[in-house]
Amino acid sequence: MQTSVNAIEKANVLRKEFLEIEINHDELLSIEQFYRCLDKKLRRQFDRELGDQLYQRMNKSFNNKITVDEFIKVFLQAEEILKNKIEGCKKQIMDYNKQRKYVSNQFDSIKDSERVNQYGIKEDSHLTVELLEGINFPAQNVSVILKLENQKQEIQQQNGPSPQWNKTLHFKISTGLEELQLFFYTINHPNIPQLLGTVTLSLSHLTNQTKIEDCCQLFDKNGQQTNTKIKLRSQWIFNDSKSLSHQIEVWNEQIKTAQDDLIDFEKDLATLYEPFPNYVQLIRSIEKEDLAINHQPPNTLVMTPINNISSQYDYKLYTRLSILIVMGLSVFICFGKTQFLDLIICFFFIIEFEFNRLYKQRLIYYSVAVGISLLCDLVWAIKYSRGFWGSEATETDKYYAIENGPNRLALILLYVSFVFKLILCALLGALSQEMPEQLEEQLPNKNKQVKQQLLYQKNKTAQFGEDNSTFYNY
């Protein structure tokens, strides 16, 4: 429905653009009048090349004349074609960049580690030859022998006159000066091979390390050229760094070509829009609405507050009791040591609990905070216990043990708080596990859909009356 609404809105705006220069939507126009209208709207000459392309696509059924509605139809088609080409170019550029990045990463990983010999050829360099087919061979069995230095491979017999081999062979390359020789034999009765012709391939034309397809003519034993031909495909990778570097250059060229095409298509679209400023404003408003709809989050994370959950065990009650006990102990421990961290944790926990602001993530944070407090208390208790009861107390220990009565009481209460803090950590962990996090799907904006449907009906009735076939039945 949204597409229909947008199409009608576009048509209405374009008709109004022509009404501004006193041209009705069903008025017949010649090519000269058509150009004068566009020039008048643009206040300068409209691009004639683009105008001719539009005019050629229009239905010129009345003495080679057109209507504004016919122009609008072709205009919207051209707009859609250009937008699709622009999106295609953008996607193509993105894909090319991904390929280029992949090859570039490969190049970076091997450029410093690849080992080559004195000829600049890597140790495992190979020539790959795909022998495809023969042309104008005699109607006899044909066998092939391929030789490169001391390497030799043979392909079994195939029947002429157009033998199909489709075989792939590999030869090791050491210097790059080697030549590949192919010997073709016909098999006569009784199985006596007779040389039909030879082909010699140099590696000099394979230095770009890409696959090259050749159609080579055979030479007989006297060195004379024959009418017999073979098709083959060959590739020689002698340096991976150079091969990857060449691939990067190829991707760069393809990216540049796609970018140039993108610029041309965007320029054509801008030229198409240029005479119609009101239409451009409509397009921008539609694109903003589409962008807002397309970027609406498909789902939302719903966190359940602590007072909204039910559990098989009453973890909430036990947690409240534990936090109150730890808070009370912390108040009395303050007579022997500062216990402000525990008091702050307990205070904020109680406030958030009462106002139902505790969620799963916050419970985990509180559990970590209680654990840190427990560790700090443990360090303090180990250090100053000797000053209260030990005989080997340092001067610092004795300073903290001046009033042994209150300090000993604080230490005892600190040991008791260890137990309740451990219980509290366990309760917070268990309570967080009882609190689920759900993904709730967002429903589409029904009010917006109803509004679009009403606008569609209103535009249809206002422009076309009960019969709305003027625009859509070209």
Side-chain angles (χ1 to χ4, degrees), residues 100-148:
R100 185 196 179 283
K101 184 177 180 180
Y102 175 75
V103 175
S104 180
N105 289 338
Q106 285 186 313
F107 174 75
D108 292 337
S109 65
I110 69 167
K111 65 179 180 180
D112 297 326
S113 59
E114 187 175 24
R115 299 175 61 182
V116 297
N117 60 20
Q118 58 182 338
Y119 299 98
I121 298 173
K122 66 176 185 175
E123 295 179 350
D124 58 342
S125 174
H126 284 82
L127 169 66
T128 301
V129 179
E130 299 177 57
L131 190 58
L132 304 176
E133 62 177 331
I135 302 173
N136 296 330
F137 273 73
Q140 298 175 354
N141 290 334
V142 178
S143 64
V144 188
I145 296 177
L146 297 90
K147 291 183 179 179
L148 192 147

Side-chain angles (χ1 to χ4, degrees), residues 15 59 67-70 72-73 469-474:
R15 288 191 181 99
N59 183 14
T67 63
V68 170
D69 280 346
E70 182 64 26
I72 291 173
K73 174 188 174 183
S469 61
T470 306
F471 181 71
Y472 287 102
N473 290 340
Y474 280 112

Side-chain angles (χ1 to χ4, degrees), residues 132-275:
L132 304 176
E133 62 177 331
I135 302 173
N136 296 330
F137 273 73
Q140 298 175 354
N141 290 334
V142 178
S143 64
V144 188
I145 296 177
L146 297 90
K147 291 183 179 179
L148 192 147
E149 299 292 329
N150 57 349
Q151 303 172 67
K152 178 180 177 180
Q153 298 189 48
E154 184 174 353
I155 299 178
Q156 298 298 323
Q157 301 177 14
Q158 291 288 337
N159 292 327
S162 299
Q164 303 287 327
W165 290 288
N166 295 316
K167 297 289 185 180
T168 302
L169 304 102
H170 302 278
F171 297 90
K172 183 173 177 58
I173 304 297
S174 301
T175 66
L177 304 176
E178 298 92 339
E179 289 184 340
L180 176 66
Q181 293 180 307
L182 294 87
F183 300 90
F184 294 85
Y185 294 91
T186 57
I187 309 300
N188 298 322
H189 185 76
N191 292 331
I192 300 175
Q194 182 177 355
L195 182 63
L196 178 65
T198 62
V199 173
T200 302
L201 295 178
S202 172
L203 301 182
S204 58
H205 72 296
L206 300 176
T207 53
N208 61 359
Q209 305 191 82
T210 59
K211 284 187 177 181
I212 296 179
E213 188 168 323
D214 295 311
C215 184
C216 305
Q217 287 187 307
L218 273 63
F219 291 84
D220 61 20
K221 59 183 179 181
N222 298 319
Q224 299 297 319
Q225 198 173 59
T226 67
N227 293 327
T228 307
K229 300 178 182 179
I230 60 163
K231 287 185 178 180
L232 54 82
R233 189 181 296 121
S234 54
Q235 183 181 23
W236 175 37
I237 302 294
F238 61 89
N239 190 303
D240 288 333
S241 298
K242 290 184 178 180
S243 176
L244 293 172
S245 178
H246 176 73
Q247 292 181 41
I248 292 173
E249 292 177 2
V250 172
W251 286 121
N252 286 337
E253 291 176 1
Q254 294 185 348
I255 291 171
K256 186 179 183 306
T257 300
Q259 288 174 339
D260 292 341
D261 291 341
L262 176 62
I263 292 172
D264 290 339
F265 294 142
E266 288 178 338
K267 182 180 177 181
D268 289 342
L269 186 62
T271 303
L272 189 67
Y273 285 158
E274 207 170 7

Side-chain angles (χ1 to χ4, degrees), residues 15 30 38 43 47 53 118 132 173-174 191 246 266 270 278 356 372 401 416 419 474:
R15 288 191 181 99
S30 65
L38 295 180
R43 296 181 181 178
D47 187 292
Q53 293 179 18
Q118 58 182 338
L132 304 176
I173 304 297
S174 301
N191 292 331
H246 176 73
E266 288 178 338
N278 296 330
N356 201 24
I372 293 173
V416 175
V419 178
Y474 280 112

Side-chain angles (χ1 to χ4, degrees), residues 455-473:
L455 179 62
Y456 168 71
Q457 294 295 337
K458 180 180 177 182
N459 287 337
K460 182 173 68 172
T461 304
Q463 182 63 36
F464 304 112
E466 295 300 324
D467 182 9
N468 63 337
S469 61
T470 306
F471 181 71
Y472 287 102
N473 290 340

